[in-house]
Amino acid sequence: MTSKISGDLRGDFANQRINRRKALAAAAVGCGMALSNVARSAVAASGVRILASPEQLHSAYDYVIVGAGSSGCVLAHRLGLAGRRVLVVEAGGQAKPAAIADPTEWPKLQGSQFDWRYLTVPQPGLGGRIIRCPRGKVVGGSSAINALGYHRGHPAAYDRWPEGWRAMDLLPYFKRAETFSGGASAWRGGNGPLHVLSLADVTDRNPVASAFVKASQDLGFSMTPDIGGEVTTGVGWQQLNIKRRVRDDAATAYLGSLENVTVDLLVDAEVLGLVIEGGRCIGLRLAEHLVRAGSEVLLCAGAIDSPRLLMLSGIGPADQLRSLGIPVVLDLPDVGRHLEDHLLVAGVAYAARREVPRSHYNHADALLYVPHTDPDDSPNHLLMCLSLPFVLPSVGPLPSPAYVLVSGLMRPRSRGSVKLASGNPRVPALIDPNYISEPADLDLLVEGVSLAREIGAGAAFADWRAQEVYPGPEGTNTADMRKFILRAADSFHHPVGTCRIGAVVDEALRVKGVTGLRVIDASVFPGIPQALINAATIAVAEKASDLVLSG
């Protein structure tokens, strides 16, 4: 069965260039933790004023931004450079330990004090398991605690978005955001705030990752020199937010590069709700303060907390709000609906013949975006080579030395929701991704795991592979493989779509039916990209900054 699957999936993609991509180029403008005692400021030597108390606030701001995550930092940067008076309100703190700075230490961050530590409701599709949903609670947001991957993905995903938000529209903003290690080109930016390191440009890549690249090529998958360039599918080297071997998150990149502007950053301040008067959002509510915005409130709290704050403020499904005793300001039934998230399977695991060298980067130095059978369409599968002995506890033990091939479902069919558990603003939302509610998702997960096993069994791994530990005997038939996947599946932590364009916000990201309020983060995505989502979040915020400045 696996040979048929890989035969259907693979192909010499090098000869299948997409003419549309050339048109896009022509249109472009230009991982419990022990904390280190040594911390670095997210905004050291910048023009950002750090506030520890609301008492330090100015009397007026043009724009008030909720959340200093990826989107909020982009907006503060661009609006600050344009001379606007900006306040960013962040529930997390500013200090950052060495574990955030060190790309190899990211696994210690999820579940730490810098994580909201959210959990899903029990997932029937995963045998009732509760899945972690890490979200950054620190200046820099999830970009400060994620695995540093920075992938744009196939343009076809964006071409399913509304007009104005398609691949051609976003390419200039992808470019504006970055300084790419390979230099500027028709596809890449050369002088943006955020540094993107391609491991194609280094020499200390992990040797197990090199075996993965060779094994993928032996199965017919072409090598792409730049997964964010002209050809975004095939086997290639990881791309990461790293600058001089240090994580370059949204705060260091965007806030840290501001000079001689007036942007205030209020830290350790949880927003309890938005204030709506006469159909206009005039500001937001902290524990003991009302913060007013002269022009607009920009809600950048992410795909979980942006819909939660809207609903707490009376904007959302009216029946749900009334059932919790929340006065309805605006009946917007789609707030919190359409939650999408990528699933991964952790994983196809191998005992190694000898010690696996430690990665100098994020432990996943190589990857494969499996080309769709239609080269003009976006991929269903992402495979990564993880040079760590990592599988879920629900799978079983995996002693060192070992390595793992992780498969990810990039085009899930299942949809979920974010709902309020209470009218108490300090109670977390009910997060229900509704994983594998659509049977096609399980079929695709089987397909991805089967391909990972075929790559892992390749001759290129002969010098490293002792034996396949997981799924092992469970991989002998499809029924057993499905049982394994239900134990091994986990979130990729890429929630999007809960305030999507066209349903909750208009194409300028203004909340429908309310003035003075926009949502600008991954919640507005009208479909999930077939890639890790941080790059798209940054690009959407870059474009949104222009929309905000244009009125």
Side-chain angles (χ1 to χ4, degrees), residues 479-491:
D480 285 344
M481 182 81 85
R482 289 170 179 259
K483 292 177 182 177
F484 167 75
I485 288 170
L486 295 184
R487 299 203 325 271
D490 195 12
S491 172

Side-chain angles (χ1 to χ4, degrees), residues 299 302-303 306-308 310 334-338 496-505 509 519 521-525:
L299 184 53
S306 283
R308 183 181 66 88
L310 287 176
D334 283 297
V335 173
R337 293 182 181 174
H338 311 293
V496 307
T498 50
C499 299
R500 63 192 300 170
I501 296 172
V504 175
V505 299
L509 308 188
V519 181
D521 54 38
S523 71
V524 304
F525 290 10

Side-chain angles (χ1 to χ4, degrees), residues 136-150:
K137 188 181 182 182
V138 64
V139 175
S142 296
S143 76
I145 71 167
N146 67 11
L148 297 90
Y150 196 79

Side-chain angles (χ1 to χ4, degrees), residues 77 159-160 222 458 461:
H77 178 97
D159 286 343
R160 291 187 282 268
S222 298
F461 277 107

Side-chain angles (χ1 to χ4, degrees), residues 394-411:
S394 52
V395 172
L398 182 62
S400 296
Y403 57 92
V404 181
L405 304 187
V406 173
S407 62
L409 175 58
M410 293 289 101
R411 296 181 68 177

Side-chain angles (χ1 to χ4, degrees), residues 302-483:
I304 306 303
D305 284 320
S306 283
R308 183 181 66 88
L309 285 169
L310 287 176
M311 290 185 285
L312 284 169
S313 308
I315 302 171
D319 54 348
Q320 293 181 31
L321 301 182
R322 293 191 186 102
S323 71
L324 295 171
I326 298 173
V328 177
V329 172
L330 179 64
D331 182 13
L332 268 183
D334 283 297
V335 173
R337 293 182 181 174
H338 311 293
L339 175 62
E340 296 185 61
D341 188 18
H342 295 137
L343 269 177
L344 57 79
V345 178
V348 178
Y350 296 87
R353 290 181 176 273
R354 61 187 185 278
E355 195 67 32
V356 176
R358 181 177 173 87
S359 169
H360 297 291
Y361 302 98
N362 78 332
H363 312 289
D365 292 8
L367 47 84
L368 167 65
Y369 277 103
V370 181
H372 197 279
T373 52
D374 176 359
D376 284 330
D377 207 350
S378 49
N380 284 313
H381 303 286
L382 167 63
L383 274 62
M384 298 186 297
C385 181
L386 197 63
S387 54
L388 288 178
F390 172 72
V391 294
L392 294 184
S394 52
V395 172
L398 182 62
S400 296
Y403 57 92
V404 181
L405 304 187
V406 173
S407 62
L409 175 58
M410 293 289 101
R411 296 181 68 177
R413 278 60 172 172
S414 302
R415 301 291 183 267
S417 65
V418 173
K419 297 180 180 180
L420 293 181
S422 166
N424 183 337
R426 291 190 168 90
V427 175
L430 299 173
I431 305 169
D432 182 11
N434 205 19
Y435 295 126
I436 317 185
S437 55
E438 292 290 336
D441 286 352
L442 185 53
D443 294 336
L444 286 166
L445 288 167
V446 170
E447 193 174 82
V449 170
S450 298
L451 178 57
R453 296 180 75 203
E454 190 170 1
I455 292 172
F461 277 107
D463 193 39
W464 290 102
R465 182 182 60 243
Q467 64 174 346
E468 181 186 286
V469 181
Y470 300 111
E474 282 192 270
T476 57
N477 60 66
T478 300
D480 285 344
M481 182 81 85
R482 289 170 179 259
K483 292 177 182 177

